[in-house]
Amino acid sequence: MKFDEFDKKMRKFEESLDQFIPTDFFMVARLDGKGFTKLTKTEMELEKPFDIRFRDAIINTIKYLMNGQFQIIYAYNESDEISLLFQHHTDKFKRKVRKYNSILAAETSVHFSRQIGNKAIFDCRIIPLPNLDAVQDYFAWRQADSNRNAVLAHCYYKLVASGKTPPQAAAYLQNLPFRDKIKLLAHFGKDLHSIPKWQLYGIAVYWQETAKSGFNPVKNTHEQSIRKKLTESYDLPTGNEYRNFIARIIACPLTGGN
């Protein structure tokens, strides 16, 4: 059998499970740290329940991804989770799911590991979203998850600091309603307004255009140019304001990288 025929025959098996996201769908990639409970509790000395160095390593990793080969217009972070929104009609890798999953998981794992000086592994899943409402719902959902997880984390470490063992604290909180967790924090003298907003509602990274003035020695004139830069928000809006914030980014998408 000629090689070209052999190659064509075998590639059918290799590509038999390939999935492609339709071009009219939005695409989001969600990256999650694998085994990060062990990493953050036993292998790294981190401030509890949130650590600035860990946060900054995640944000630096997000910027690396947004400056890379993928056309990412928006990124959202909570804890060890990263959600990336791609330009609506991007045709990178022909929108092949396995390409996005494998490359993003690998690049995120390698870059974050270098940031923290320890081995860290991320998995990746691609989420197809049919329209703007679904994209807004997705990020509102992740922000709600961030809020609940942040309150849970603060409650847990307050209980441990008060003398409960980690298993006792976890068991106490397991089925405790959210409103009662808020009351528990108040019992320890902590209310939601005293918790930094980035811990409760997450962090965004997105592109903005800025004007930059400079002197053109050839024309002997002062000129202004428009450049893109990555902007971080540690004070995100919530509710309908957050949904509108997402809609504005999608209406005027900017990307970097290649």
Side-chain angles (χ1 to χ4, degrees), residues 213-223:
S213 299
F215 180 74
N216 187 328
V218 176
K219 296 182 179 180
N220 196 32
T221 58
H222 289 277
E223 298 179 352

Side-chain angles (χ1 to χ4, degrees), residues 105-165:
E107 288 194 344
T108 304
S109 300
V110 170
H111 193 78
F112 185 76
S113 296
R114 288 174 176 169
Q115 291 284 305
I116 64 170
N118 207 326
K119 184 181 77 172
I121 299 172
F122 285 80
D123 64 26
C124 180
R125 73 202 73 174
I126 294 296
I127 304 160
L129 299 167
N131 50 45
L132 173 61
D133 282 345
V135 176
Q136 291 171 305
D137 283 345
Y138 173 84
F139 284 102
W141 169 50
R142 301 323 303 151
Q143 190 177 66
D145 184 71
S146 174
N147 183 235
R148 298 183 75 84
N149 286 339
V151 169
L152 175 63
H154 278 278
C155 286
Y156 174 84
Y157 284 105
K158 284 294 184 184
L159 288 171
V160 170
S162 72
K164 288 188 180 295
T165 66

Side-chain angles (χ1 to χ4, degrees), residues 70-221:
F70 294 97
Q71 296 173 310
I72 302 166
I73 65 172
Y74 180 71
Y76 175 79
N77 162 244
E78 59 151 315
S79 185
D80 64 341
E81 178 185 301
I82 300 168
S83 292
L84 306 172
L85 175 64
F86 303 94
Q87 193 173 49
H88 189 184
H89 301 295
T90 180
D91 61 354
K92 191 73 176 177
F93 300 119
K94 298 180 181 179
R95 301 169 73 90
K96 187 181 294 185
V97 171
R98 69 175 166 90
K99 283 286 190 180
Y100 281 80
N101 281 339
S102 59
I103 295 173
L104 282 168
E107 288 194 344
T108 304
S109 300
V110 170
H111 193 78
F112 185 76
S113 296
R114 288 174 176 169
Q115 291 284 305
I116 64 170
N118 207 326
K119 184 181 77 172
I121 299 172
F122 285 80
D123 64 26
C124 180
R125 73 202 73 174
I126 294 296
I127 304 160
L129 299 167
N131 50 45
L132 173 61
D133 282 345
V135 176
Q136 291 171 305
D137 283 345
Y138 173 84
F139 284 102
W141 169 50
R142 301 323 303 151
Q143 190 177 66
D145 184 71
S146 174
N147 183 235
R148 298 183 75 84
N149 286 339
V151 169
L152 175 63
H154 278 278
C155 286
Y156 174 84
Y157 284 105
K158 284 294 184 184
L159 288 171
V160 170
S162 72
K164 288 188 180 295
T165 66
Q168 287 172 337
Y172 181 83
L173 294 168
Q174 185 173 9
N175 296 312
L176 193 68
F178 184 74
R179 63 180 179 276
D180 291 334
K181 293 185 178 79
I182 301 295
K183 292 178 182 177
L184 180 63
L185 286 180
H187 170 75
F188 286 112
K190 195 175 191 68
D191 60 29
L192 292 184
H193 297 295
S194 67
I195 300 175
K197 287 191 69 175
W198 65 269
Q199 297 181 13
L200 290 171
Y201 305 116
I203 304 163
V205 184
Y206 53 98
W207 295 95
Q208 279 192 325
E209 288 185 332
T210 59
K212 186 172 182 178
S213 299
F215 180 74
N216 187 328
V218 176
K219 296 182 179 180
N220 196 32
T221 58

Side-chain angles (χ1 to χ4, degrees), residues 10-25:
M10 298 312 298
R11 284 190 183 277
K12 288 180 181 178
F13 296 108
E14 185 181 58
E15 298 171 356
S16 62
L17 297 179
D18 273 347
Q19 294 177 305
F20 297 83
I21 304 300
T23 55
D24 56 337
F25 274 60

